[in-house]
Structures are given as structure tokens and as C-alpha cells.
Amino acid sequence: MKLHGMRASGNCYKALLASSLLGRPLHWIEVDSSRGETRTPAFLALNPNGKVPVLELDDGRVLAESNAILCYLAEGSALLPSEAFARAKVLQWLFFEQYSHEPYVAVARFIAKFLPADHPRRADLPSLREKSKQALAVMETELSKQEFLASTGFSIADIALFAYTHDAPVAGIDLHDFPSVTAWLERVRAQPGFIAQ
Amino acid sequence: MKLHGMRASGNCYKALLASSLLGRPLHWIEVDSSRGETRTPAFLALNPNGKVPVLELDDGRVLAESNAILCYLAEGSALLPSEAFARAKVLQWLFFEQYSHEPYVAVARFIAKFLPADHPRRADLPSLREKSKQALAVMETELSKQEFLASTGFSIADIALFAYTHDAPVAGIDLHDFPSVTAWLERVRAQPGFIAQ
């Protein structure tokens, strides 16, 4: 399988981390969205939404959306429970990540890490950090009660939320207020097959 | 099962529509977020993220996130394929909806439908409508080639994207530029068991 992705992207790192934890290697094809490479006709034929990552199967079928890719890679493994409610709870965290976490933590990280010191978007950082802390507080509530986000154990919910949470300090978000999240980051790093971004 | 939801919310309508199409009735409990009812200690115990809908099973277990609820309700039915790749393609559309569609179409609808004519957030409408049209163009590309969003047929991907797309004109988004989306809305409305919001 091929993964069309950008190394600097946390959404793309999710697929890389899952493939390492599962022992299912992916052939990586670097696509640099900052140079317009997700807007070429060839790329838009893969994903009309013009976003990485895109998983390309050996038979040519393609799958977009980082968390849908995680589900596909993990299907049949312990990283995605098969029982209906346990599976739905993992999905709950994946949707939480895309709606209530990534638009704040990942965007704050992007602005703080990649944009010049005088860029006007830096004015957005205070409100993005505030919303990021609200998302981290939701994680803290759950992780103060159990080791991983799903009660059934380590899953792709942890992979999805690790992808940007580990880089929150780079975004200027202090994790000291979230001790259970900080301890959980270490538990994810301790998983056999873990690789850093 | 109980559904804690708000009638005016498209995200909550998804669960109602799915339950009707599946013939699995839900006991509806109205929660008005505009009156702070999603911020009470009792509600935050159900969902620390303070959002509706929340599905409550008869044994007291709870599930948040509208699209995770759709997956749970549809598990084992034709609305959610069991084959791994077909299932992942349905999930691709569910994540697309929450990341690339809902934050624009639903927010534009909310501002246009519920806020006063002189509200300052109305200044956001032009950019929200532009982003909405980009999401609709992605749907148009797929729906010009097949009847429903997933190639395997009518699924919860269609339910999730119907929830706010049908109300796009209320948000001031003209659907005449999207003839395949317009025809698809009618195909969703023709499903046995369909109920309007």
C-alpha cells in the first residue's frame, strides 16, 4: 500500500504510527501541500477534497481522511474492537479529534511552528490555545479514570489524539495543567513499535 | 434507548432520521444548548464535551458524537457495510462531513436562520458560504458518478451529509450550481422510512 502524505503533518503521521504499531509497512509518497502539490489534477483525481493523507491500495482503490485510514488499517486488530459499542466509543474519540481538537491544537501548532514571527495569523493564537485547552480538559477527564481513551485499552483513538497532542507545547499550550494527558503521552510512547514523528 | 438532543440541530436530526429508516425508535429528551442545558453538571456527566446529541443505552452507557451514534445504530444493517474497505469509504464521508462540511454549512445555517439581522457574526457569512461551496463541489464530483456517496449504495454517509445539505438554501447557499447534489437530496427523501427534520 502507498501513503500519499506530508511528513510535517500530524494527520499523516497517524497512518505512519499505526502502520509501525501494526507491523504493516506503507510505501510513503511525499506530497507538499505548501507547494500546491495537493491541488494538481493528478492529486485531485485521488482526492477531490485536495487533502493528505490518501491511502492507495495495491489495486488502485483510494481512501482519504486520516481517521478513516486508521480504521481501515486497524480493522481486525486489537487497535479497533469488533464489538459494536466498544467500536463506537473508539469512533466517538476519532470524531472528537477532528471536530473539537484538531481545528484548534493542529492549527495553533501550524501557526506557531511554521509561520513567520510577524505573520498576522499569530493574532489567532490566544483563542486557538483557549479552545485547545477545552479539548485537552475533556481528554484529562477521561484519562484521569482510565489508562487509554477507550476503556477497552490502547486503540486508534489514542493514535489519532497523540498525533497533535504530543506537539501541543510547540503550539504554546502548557501540558502541566493536564497531568493525566502527560502520563498518557508516555504510555503511548511505550507501545511496542512506537515511532516518533 | 434515549437520545439527548435538540430538535433544531442537524447533528441531532441525523440520529432521528437513522432511527426512522432503521425502524429502531428512540426516546427523545430535548436539551436546549441555547439555554445552557448542555453545560449543567448532570449533562457534563453524560458528555464532558458538552455537546448534543448523546445516545443513552438502556443499561446507562452513553455515546457522544453524531456520526459515532450513526455507526452504532447502523451496525449490522445495510446502512453500514461490513466489508473493511466499503466500511472505510463510508467513514471517509463521515469524517469529511465533520471536518470540511459541517463547520461551514451548519455554521452558515445557524447564523442565517437563528441570529438577528444586525448580528456581527453575519459578517462571517460570505466566507462560510464560499467554504460550503467547496464542500458541495466535492460531493457533486462523486454524485455525478454514482447515486449515493458510497459506491455500495445508500448508507449513513448519505444521512450524515443530508442533515445540513438539505438546509443549505436557508444558509443562503444556492444549490442550483450542484445538480447532482440536488438530485441526490430527492433520492434520500425517497428512502422508505424517511422523515423530514
Side-chain angles (χ1 to χ4, degrees):
Chain A
M1 290 186 291
K2 297 173 191 162
L3 198 286
H4 301 259
M6 190 165 70
R7 286 278 177 184
S9 154
N11 282 323
C12 297
Y13 168 55
K14 292 174 190 173
L16 195 66
L17 177 53
S19 77
S20 179
L21 290 163
L22 290 161
R24 297 183 65 179
L26 293 172
H27 177 69
W28 188 277
I29 298 167
E30 184 71 12
V31 180
D32 188 347
S33 67
S34 71
R35 297 195 307 177
E37 292 176 7
T38 52
R39 291 283 151 193
T40 64
F43 188 84
L44 291 171
L46 287 177
N47 181 11
N49 201 26
K51 293 186 194 300
V52 283
V54 173
L55 183 71
E56 186 178 350
L57 307 195
D58 293 340
D59 62 11
R61 288 181 296 172
V62 289
L63 181 65
E65 297 292 332
S66 59
N67 289 351
I69 292 171
L70 282 184
C71 289
Y72 181 72
L73 293 175
E75 191 70 65
S77 82
L79 295 183
L80 179 56
S82 57
E83 189 276 320
F85 187 79
R87 173 183 288 263
K89 289 299 279 189
V90 169
L91 290 170
Q92 173 191 299
W93 285 106
L94 297 182
F95 288 110
F96 166 84
E97 193 266 340
Q98 285 288 282
Y99 194 83
S100 298
H101 183 285
E102 205 267 13
Y104 308 113
V105 181
V107 176
R109 167 188 174 271
F110 172 77
I111 292 171
K113 196 168 179 171
F114 297 110
L115 296 186
D118 60 350
H119 197 283
R121 285 189 70 190
R122 286 187 178 264
D124 298 341
L125 282 173
S127 66
L128 289 168
R129 287 173 182 144
E130 199 49 46
K131 292 272 201 174
S132 296
K133 286 179 186 174
Q134 290 173 25
L136 291 165
V138 173
M139 295 170 67
E140 181 72 19
T141 298
E142 201 78 352
L143 292 169
S144 66
K145 293 181 288 186
Q146 58 198 37
E147 284 203 308
F148 295 105
L149 290 165
S151 62
T152 41
F154 182 68
S155 75
I156 53 174
D158 302 295
I159 296 173
L161 278 149
F162 182 86
Y164 286 105
T165 303
H166 83 89
D167 233 4
V170 171
I173 300 158
D174 190 349
L175 290 179
H176 287 100
D177 296 336
F178 306 100
S180 303
V181 170
T182 303
W184 162 82
L185 288 172
E186 288 311 312
R187 284 194 291 276
V188 175
R189 290 191 178 102
Q191 294 298 307
F194 174 84
I195 46 168
Q197 186 170 6
Chain B
M1 290 187 291
K2 297 174 191 161
L3 198 284
H4 302 259
M6 190 165 71
R7 286 278 178 185
S9 154
N11 282 322
C12 298
Y13 169 54
K14 292 174 189 173
L16 195 66
L17 178 52
S19 77
S20 179
L21 290 162
L22 289 161
R24 296 183 65 179
L26 292 172
H27 177 68
W28 187 277
I29 297 168
E30 184 71 12
V31 180
D32 188 347
S33 67
S34 72
R35 298 196 305 175
E37 292 176 6
T38 53
R39 291 283 152 192
T40 64
F43 189 84
L44 290 171
L46 287 177
N47 181 11
N49 202 26
K51 293 186 196 298
V52 284
V54 173
L55 184 71
E56 185 178 350
L57 307 195
D58 293 340
D59 62 11
R61 288 181 296 172
V62 289
L63 181 65
E65 298 293 331
S66 60
N67 289 351
I69 292 170
L70 281 184
C71 289
Y72 181 70
L73 293 174
E75 191 70 63
S77 82
L79 295 183
L80 178 56
S82 58
E83 189 276 319
F85 187 78
R87 173 184 288 261
K89 289 298 279 188
V90 169
L91 289 170
Q92 172 190 302
W93 285 106
L94 297 183
F95 288 110
F96 166 85
E97 192 266 343
Q98 284 288 282
Y99 195 83
S100 298
H101 184 284
E102 204 268 12
Y104 309 113
V105 182
V107 175
R109 168 188 173 271
F110 172 77
I111 293 171
K113 196 167 179 173
F114 297 109
L115 297 185
D118 59 351
H119 197 284
R121 286 189 68 189
R122 287 188 177 264
D124 297 341
L125 282 172
S127 67
L128 288 169
R129 287 173 182 143
E130 198 50 45
K131 293 272 201 173
S132 296
K133 286 179 185 173
Q134 290 173 25
L136 291 165
V138 174
M139 294 169 66
E140 182 72 18
T141 298
E142 201 79 353
L143 292 168
S144 67
K145 293 181 287 187
Q146 58 199 37
E147 284 204 307
F148 295 104
L149 290 165
S151 63
T152 41
F154 182 68
S155 74
I156 51 173
D158 302 293
I159 296 173
L161 279 148
F162 182 86
Y164 286 106
T165 304
H166 82 90
D167 233 5
V170 171
I173 301 157
D174 189 350
L175 289 180
H176 287 100
D177 296 337
F178 306 100
S180 302
V181 170
T182 303
W184 162 83
L185 287 173
E186 288 311 312
R187 283 195 291 276
V188 175
R189 290 190 179 100
Q191 295 298 308
F194 174 84
I195 46 168
Q197 186 170 5

